[in-house]
């Protein structure tokens, strides 16, 4: 009898591929047409546009175990960022991986000499422990951790808030300090990268060994003594086991399990341009708390994302916008005008505007206590979701591994700590 995975996001695809490699018959049911969950790439007017702005932390342990990074044809982003203020900018980077940033980092006014020394010490301190151990410790916010570590308010406001705000999707740095330490370690251990075909290449690699049926909605699960019956839009399906790898509301509806569901929202605007307004390849951070949190000229680093002679800009806006789409576009352009001038910004054409009401779930200090387990009260039904670990590619793939391990009774994988 077949094992059925509900949901073709990264958690579900990871679980399905591992089960298939172990010799199980597996079928994935996806309610929509697109695969990969929130990790998707669309073709728009010749551009490859991701759903939101995402990069791959190549040092993620689950990524190392489950993806063929060479086959993804990755392009690494520079290990640094440009802090933009009105009339000036500072470049801050890792001089070992981004040598061109070394002198500008020394001169950067956004971080004092003491801040730079503290950051170097922090990096050295975080390089020694096992990465997963950095997730534990005192339950405090990232902001409190940075202040306790001695960083100035200017460094926090101008660098840490926009940089890690783009990762946490919260500029106030109220996210768990354990996640801050873990993500910083991932940045230390390996480059961040984007596949030349877009982030959707990750799902396309996983699905190569998986049998996925799209456009199938699962109405209900009916557990039996030795199997589970699925009531679906294409009829009843009997399964040996079921892995529910859907969104938190769907997990609760289908499996009766409450999972973290407090949403963290964000919006993403992608602009096309016929002329290159900026040759910078690094991430652009808005030093001021405005509409734009960060931006990046993706085509400068990954030319394949844009047609020949065209240019692609991605802008991240945190939270739920109070404006309608037209007003949001105007507000973003107004802030970009301070960087490039209004005449240059007029050359930008809005390509896509995506609102992600549930881009992540909230991860404040102590959020680990609210994480869901993989088991359910029903026999033969387990969960695969980032809501069992952390809201990240690591969390999704790690959860898929654990769900497959439960089905296979793989004790070694089940005993692996979160984040390892």
């Amino acid at each position: 009898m077949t094992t059925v995975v509900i949901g073709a996001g990264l958690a579900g695809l990871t679980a399905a591929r591992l089960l298939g490699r172990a010799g199980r018959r597996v079928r994935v049911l996806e309610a929509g047409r697109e695969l990969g969950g929130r990790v998707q790439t669309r073709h728009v007017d010749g551009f490859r546009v991701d759903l939101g702005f995402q990069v791959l932390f190549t040092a993620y342990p689950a990524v190392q175990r489950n993806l063929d990074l060479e086959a993804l044809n990755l392009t690494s982003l520079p290990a640094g960022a440009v802090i933009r203020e009105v009339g000036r900018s500072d470049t801050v980077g890792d001089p070992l991986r981004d040598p061109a940033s070394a002198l500008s980092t020394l001169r950067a006014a956004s971080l004092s000499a003491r801040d730079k020394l503290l950051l170097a010490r922090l990096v050295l301190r975080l390089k020694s422990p096992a990465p997963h151990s950095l997730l534990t410790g005192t339950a405090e916010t990232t902001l409190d951790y940075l202040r306790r570590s001695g960083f100035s308010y200017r460094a926090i406001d101008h660098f840490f808030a926009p940089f890690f705000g783009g990762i946490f999707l919260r500029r106030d740095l109220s996210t768990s300090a354990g996640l801050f330490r873990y993500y910083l370690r991932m940045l230390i251990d390996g480059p961040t990268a984007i596949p030349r075909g877009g982030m959707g290449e990750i799902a396309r690699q996983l699905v190569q060994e998986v049998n996925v049926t799209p456009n199938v909605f699962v109405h209900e699960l009916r557990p039996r003594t030795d199997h589970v019956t699925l009531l679906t839009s294409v009829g009843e399906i009997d399964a040996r086991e079921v892995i529910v790898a859907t969104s938190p509301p769907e997990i609760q509806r289908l499996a009766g399990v409450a999972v973290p569901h407090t949403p963290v929202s964000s919006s993403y605007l992608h602009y096309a341009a016929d002329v290159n307004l900026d040759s910078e390849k690094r991430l652009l951070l808005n030093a001021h708390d405005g509409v734009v949190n960060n931006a990046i000229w993706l085509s400068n680093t990954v030319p394949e994302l844009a047609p020949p002679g065209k240019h692609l800009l991605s802008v991240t806006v945190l939270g739920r916008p109070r404006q309608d789409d037209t007003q949001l576009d105007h507000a973003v352009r107004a802030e970009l005008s301070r960087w490039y001038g209004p005449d240059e910004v007029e050359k930008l054409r809005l390509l896509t505007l995506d609102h992600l009401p549930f881009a992540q779930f909230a991860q404040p200090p102590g959020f680990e206590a609210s994480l869901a387990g993989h088991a359910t009260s029903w026999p033969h039904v387990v969960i695969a979701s980032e809501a069992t670990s952390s809201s990240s590619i690591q969390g999704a793939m790690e959860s898929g591994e654990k769900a497959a391990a439960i089905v296979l009774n793989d004790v070694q994988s089940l005993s692996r700590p979160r984040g390892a």
Side-chain angles (χ1 to χ4, degrees), residues 216-369:
V216 177
F217 183 78
V218 178
H219 297 287
E220 185 182 346
L221 300 181
R222 292 185 178 175
R224 313 296 188 188
T225 303
D226 58 352
H227 69 280
V228 181
T229 298
L230 297 85
L231 277 59
T232 79
S233 56
V234 295
E236 291 190 5
I237 299 173
D238 289 331
R240 179 177 176 179
E241 301 97 1
V242 172
I243 296 176
V244 183
T246 57
S247 65
E250 285 295 282
I251 289 174
Q252 186 154 4
R253 182 182 69 83
L254 289 170
V257 175
V259 298
H261 62 275
T262 302
V264 178
S265 307
S266 55
S267 299
Y268 302 89
L269 299 89
H270 284 88
Y271 292 96
D274 295 330
V275 294
N276 194 0
L277 305 188
D278 195 336
S279 61
E280 182 60 66
K281 294 182 177 182
R282 299 176 184 88
L283 186 67
L284 308 175
L285 306 178
N286 187 359
H288 303 288
D289 190 4
V291 177
V292 175
N293 182 73
N294 57 272
I296 186 169
W297 287 91
L298 290 166
S299 50
N300 288 348
T301 301
V302 193
E304 293 84 355
L305 298 179
K310 305 291 183 180
H311 309 276
L312 180 63
L313 172 67
S314 174
V315 175
T316 299
V317 176
L318 304 183
R320 287 180 176 271
R322 292 186 290 271
Q323 312 99 318
D324 62 27
D325 288 358
T326 300
Q327 292 171 330
L328 181 59
D329 175 34
H330 287 167
V332 168
R333 288 175 183 272
E335 292 196 1
L336 293 177
S337 294
R338 299 170 191 165
W339 298 354
Y340 301 118
D343 292 340
E344 294 296 285
V345 170
E346 283 295 319
K347 298 173 183 177
L348 297 175
R349 174 170 61 89
L350 183 62
L351 200 62
T352 61
L353 198 167
D354 297 307
H355 300 293
L356 300 185
F358 203 112
Q360 292 183 15
F361 62 85
Q363 299 169 103
F367 80 97
E368 299 87 353

Side-chain angles (χ1 to χ4, degrees), residues 104-126:
S104 57
T105 299
L106 288 174
R107 294 174 174 173
S110 297
L111 280 75
S112 68
R114 184 170 185 271
D115 288 319
K116 293 165 191 171
L117 179 60
L118 288 171
L119 183 56
R121 287 177 176 174
L122 178 61
V123 167
L124 287 174
R125 188 165 70 246
L126 296 184

Side-chain angles (χ1 to χ4, degrees), residues 35-213:
L35 311 182
R38 297 194 302 274
V39 184
Q40 297 180 19
T41 302
R42 300 152 295 169
H43 293 262
V44 182
D45 293 349
F47 292 82
R48 292 185 174 98
V49 182
D50 290 337
L51 181 62
F53 170 59
Q54 299 184 62
V55 296
L56 181 64
F57 285 32
T58 57
Y60 276 150
V63 163
Q64 295 280 335
R65 289 190 293 268
N66 291 284
L67 294 178
D68 181 344
L69 296 179
E70 185 175 352
L72 283 176
N73 204 7
L74 297 171
T75 297
S76 297
L77 275 66
V82 177
I83 303 170
R84 284 284 168 89
E85 298 185 63
V86 178
R88 63 165 291 123
S89 63
D90 283 336
T91 299
V92 178
D94 178 350
L96 297 179
R97 293 216 304 264
D98 185 10
S101 70
L103 184 59
S104 57
T105 299
L106 288 174
R107 294 174 174 173
S110 297
L111 280 75
S112 68
R114 184 170 185 271
D115 288 319
K116 293 165 191 171
L117 179 60
L118 288 171
L119 183 56
R121 287 177 176 174
L122 178 61
V123 167
L124 287 174
R125 188 165 70 246
L126 296 184
K127 285 183 71 171
S128 298
H132 70 270
S133 69
L134 300 174
L135 291 166
T136 61
T138 304
E140 61 183 331
T141 67
T142 297
L143 176 59
D144 289 340
Y145 178 77
L146 291 171
R147 288 298 301 149
R148 186 166 59 82
S149 299
F151 288 99
S152 69
Y153 281 114
R154 179 175 177 82
I156 291 171
D157 290 342
H158 287 201
F159 174 68
F160 289 105
F163 187 88
F164 283 92
I167 297 174
F168 299 147
L169 306 185
R170 298 190 72 111
R171 195 176 173 110
D172 62 5
L173 301 179
S174 61
T175 301
S176 165
L179 283 177
F180 166 78
R181 292 189 293 267
Y182 184 78
Y183 290 141
L184 183 53
R185 175 61 181 272
M186 293 299 102
L187 291 167
I188 295 167
D189 284 354
T192 59
I194 299 175
R196 291 180 184 171
M199 290 292 286
E201 292 298 310
I202 296 171
R204 279 190 278 275
Q205 184 179 111
L206 291 172
V207 82
Q208 288 176 2
E209 302 175 41
V210 178
N211 173 24
V212 179
T213 307

